[in-house]
Amino acid sequence: MTQASLISPDEIRHRFAAAMSAMYQSEVPQYTTLLELVEQVNRETLEANPALAERLTEADELARLDVERHGAIRVGSAEELGMLRRLFAVMGMYPVGYYDLSEAGVPVHSTAFRPIDDAALSRNPFRIFTSLLRLELIESEALRERAAAILAERDIFTPGARELIALSEAQGGLNDEQAERFVAEALETFRWHHDATVDLATYEALHAEHRLIADVVCFRGPHINHLTPRTLDIDEVQRRMPAAGMTPKAIIEGPPRRDCPILLRQTSFTALEETIRFAGEQAGTHTARFGEIEQRGVALTPRGRELYDRLLTHSREQGTGGDNATHQQRLAEVFADFPDSESALRRQGLAFFEYRLTDAGRAADKVAEADLETLIERGLVSARPITYEDFLPVSAAGIFQSNLGGGDNGAYAGNANRAAFEAALGAPVTDELALYAERERASRDAVLQALAY
């Protein structure tokens, strides 16, 4: 096998994302309706705002707008998580960020497997938010042991997937034919199964502890529980969902609507109640799969995140108000203290930006003092917001809870354990803020070097 015959991990990821989308649309037809709605809203938004369309094109964002930005799965054991890390590496996806959802009363901790360099993100930004069930947080020892025994009996990977992962590691990638087989085999891990691996009584016991525990433990694999297109106007999608036959979750998670979007806003249609066959020929239902929508803004610096978290905590102390309109109004009032212009975010060090020479900058003579703000004011350098590619633990927990039913469990709270998660993963997770900081630093240094004597 020559290196020349191997195809790019980005291409494999692109094929996998397309296959995943096709599979999920066939399994959850309502998701196709959601994609159509998001595409319509995006098209109308761009037509009404040519300046936005131009900005997205210049930032290489428009071409990848229609690619589903992420999916989500939940696994039950360290072995499953470690093997998933190897599977995703075949597609150029690496663990970024540690998310402790126990702080919001959900018994999992998570990472996002995603591409990490600019070229890979431009090719296809697809990522999988992956959560590991924390059996140690289950209060009942008997239930804990029963769940562990059930998980130990299953293998969520096909023999073909295991073989091709090992082959990719041995030869440094896959050729075209191997990649096609890999996508087909890997897809089986994420497929929905109407048959549970346990009897109804076991399911109900785990369900009573937490619905997410039942979802992770009682099936043959970590079925994809949602995919997520990216919208340019999440408020409009939320408003139109009922007319399109979808019931939206009560509130949009994340920051309020702003002139300069920050971080991540998310909503979804509520999960489907699906008929399940349990062991012993018993019938029942399970609720897990749904369709999510996201709107992404600029990545915030540590200073910006501290301000965001402080304001979000303050807004949560006031309560949601029950309906989205009230919630958004309260959020907007609280977040009035968060600057809402790109120049203010940049100058106050609240958000990350990428710097590039303008046409005037490329044509300009060298300058004696290459102060970045002066160069921007003179039109020699442009500052573009760096899109936030990651997640927010409180928002993720809110999506989980709204689609699994029920609220949080205070017994789980405050139990972050990054070391245990990384031990299960078999590798450290990358600090997402460090990725943004390095991208900003490299772009700043490049323009200053190009213009300085």
Side-chain angles (χ1 to χ4, degrees), residues 73-386:
I73 60 171
R74 306 153 186 156
V75 296
S77 70
E79 194 281 331
E80 291 176 352
L81 182 66
M83 194 66 184
L84 276 174
R85 175 183 59 79
R86 295 170 61 194
L87 181 148
F88 288 129
V90 175
M91 298 182 277
M93 300 163 69
Y94 306 99
V96 177
Y98 172 76
Y99 303 93
D100 171 33
L101 271 63
S102 77
E103 70 178 48
V106 180
V108 300
H109 45 186
S110 315
T111 191
F113 289 96
R114 72 168 179 88
I116 57 176
D117 64 66
D118 294 350
L121 285 166
S122 293
R123 177 69 176 89
N124 187 302
F126 187 66
R127 79 290 310 274
I128 297 284
F129 188 81
T130 303
S131 299
L132 174 63
L133 178 62
R134 302 187 63 186
L135 290 175
E136 76 275 12
L137 297 183
I138 298 177
E139 296 178 33
S140 165
E141 181 179 356
L143 200 60
R144 219 169 34 239
E145 293 177 352
R146 176 63 177 139
I150 295 167
L151 291 168
E153 292 174 0
R154 75 180 187 182
D155 187 351
I156 67 174
F157 305 96
T158 67
R162 288 182 177 273
E163 173 191 344
L164 288 161
I165 291 168
L167 180 63
S168 177
E169 292 170 344
Q171 65 188 21
L174 299 175
N175 64 25
D176 186 80
E177 182 273 333
Q178 293 163 350
E180 285 297 302
R181 287 196 288 123
F182 169 81
V183 168
E185 296 284 351
L187 207 61
E188 293 303 310
T189 294
F190 306 91
R191 192 176 297 281
W192 174 251
H193 300 286
H194 288 283
D195 297 309
T197 59
V198 303
D199 59 33
L200 184 57
T202 299
Y203 171 86
E204 289 177 340
L206 292 167
H207 189 278
E209 171 70 19
H210 196 290
R211 292 190 180 193
L212 183 144
I213 298 172
D215 183 60
V216 173
V217 174
C218 298
F219 297 88
R220 281 187 275 167
H223 39 256
I224 190 79
N225 57 68
H226 69 266
L227 289 178
T228 309
R230 180 185 178 189
T231 184
L232 298 173
D233 190 342
I234 199 167
D235 301 276
E236 184 63 15
V237 173
Q238 177 93 349
R239 187 185 70 80
R240 295 189 193 185
M241 283 172 71
M246 292 172 281
T247 302
K249 70 183 297 294
I251 63 170
I252 297 172
E253 301 284 350
R257 186 182 187 94
R258 293 164 44 91
D259 292 333
C260 183
I262 58 173
L263 295 174
L264 173 66
R265 303 180 75 202
Q266 296 171 279
T267 190
S268 67
F269 64 70
T270 53
L272 310 174
E273 185 175 35
E274 306 186 70
T275 301
I276 301 296
R277 289 186 298 270
F278 292 93
E281 299 302 315
Q282 296 171 298
T285 61
H286 179 64
T287 302
R289 299 189 298 165
F290 55 96
E292 187 180 84
I293 313 98
E294 65 181 30
Q295 182 173 358
R296 291 188 174 268
V298 61
L300 299 184
T301 63
R303 181 185 298 175
R305 278 302 298 267
E306 188 279 329
L307 177 57
Y308 171 81
D309 291 341
R310 176 158 47 85
L311 294 176
L312 184 67
T313 298
H314 180 49
S315 72
R316 295 182 75 203
E317 289 170 350
Q318 296 182 353
T320 64
D323 65 275
N324 189 55
T326 302
H327 175 64
Q328 295 301 322
Q329 181 179 350
R330 290 180 177 178
L331 267 182
E333 291 169 356
V334 172
F335 273 79
D337 290 337
F338 203 112
D340 195 13
S341 72
E342 290 183 8
S343 60
L345 292 173
R346 187 183 72 249
R347 289 169 178 161
Q348 294 182 37
L350 298 174
F352 290 109
F353 288 82
E354 181 179 33
Y355 301 99
R356 299 184 185 181
L357 293 177
T358 63
D359 290 340
R362 284 186 286 272
D365 295 329
K366 300 290 186 179
V367 294
E369 293 186 12
D371 173 75
L372 195 57
E373 286 301 319
T374 301
L375 296 174
I376 292 171
E377 291 173 4
R378 292 176 57 185
L380 303 179
V381 171
S382 65
R384 299 176 181 176
I386 295 178

Side-chain angles (χ1 to χ4, degrees), residues 430-443:
T430 298
D431 180 355
E432 68 274 22
L433 294 181
L435 292 176
Y436 300 122
E438 173 57 25
R439 181 174 174 183
E440 181 180 78
R441 184 204 61 77
S443 69

Side-chain angles (χ1 to χ4, degrees), residues 382-404:
S382 65
R384 299 176 181 176
I386 295 178
T387 299
Y388 186 63
E389 303 286 355
D390 297 287
F391 297 91
L392 302 169
V394 172
S395 295
I399 293 286
F400 279 17
Q401 289 163 349
S402 69
N403 284 289
L404 289 165

